[in-house]
Amino acid sequence: GAFFLVGILGGRLAISSGVAGRVASSRLLVAGLGLAVAGAFLVWVATDVPLAAAALVLVGIGTGMFYPIGVTVAMAQAPDAPVVASTRLQLATGTAVLTAPLALGVIADAVGVVSGWLLVPLLAAAAVAVLATIPTPAAERTQAAASRGAAAAR
């Protein structure tokens, strides 16, 4: 558990260091999904503790991005209704936190823990499909382009 939490901290520190201003939120979410899936795969195939620990850090880095960037994306989609957007986001987050462990336990009981890990890439693919439908706000495109231009000028 501690390795996963260290990864979450690392992912959130990376986001707060300015990465979020230079890269579109949807790309950061896809990158986070990629890291989480890669880490989950490594956990799945790990035969020793050091590899499993490193893999859990990788999963944490990827998933550590989800909430802060998800809030940014949700709020950008409803600039005229921030209370509604944040309330729905909290409802979705709370529902996921309450139901996901139970659902994963039921799946693991039905098909086994190792086979249950196969659900990770399926859920990641569904998340990427959802992300593909979310338009990038104009303000974010402008900010990312300006950041890239400033970095290139240095």
Side-chain angles (χ1 to χ4, degrees):
F3 293 106
F4 177 70
L5 295 176
V6 166
I8 288 176
L9 178 63
R12 293 195 177 165
L13 286 172
I15 293 300
S16 68
S17 72
V19 171
R22 295 188 305 268
V23 180
S25 296
S26 59
R27 287 185 185 209
L28 286 172
L29 287 172
V30 170
L33 279 168
L35 290 172
V37 169
F41 175 76
L42 290 173
V43 168
W44 191 51
V45 300
T47 57
D48 59 25
V49 173
L51 178 59
L56 286 172
V57 170
L58 190 61
V59 173
I61 291 170
T63 59
M65 296 182 198
F66 294 165
Y67 187 77
I69 299 300
V71 169
T72 301
V73 170
M75 299 304 285
Q77 296 306 311
D80 298 329
V83 173
V84 172
S86 64
T87 302
R88 288 182 180 166
L89 179 66
Q90 291 303 318
L91 178 62
T93 301
T95 300
V97 167
L98 290 173
T99 60
L102 177 62
L104 292 174
V106 168
I107 291 167
D109 284 347
V111 300
V113 174
V114 174
S115 295
W117 275 92
L118 293 174
L119 188 62
V120 172
L122 296 175
L123 291 174
V128 169
V130 168
L131 285 172
T133 67
I134 299 172
T136 302
E140 185 176 323
R141 289 191 304 270
T142 301
Q143 180 185 10
S147 293
R148 284 190 302 271
R154 289 185 216 152

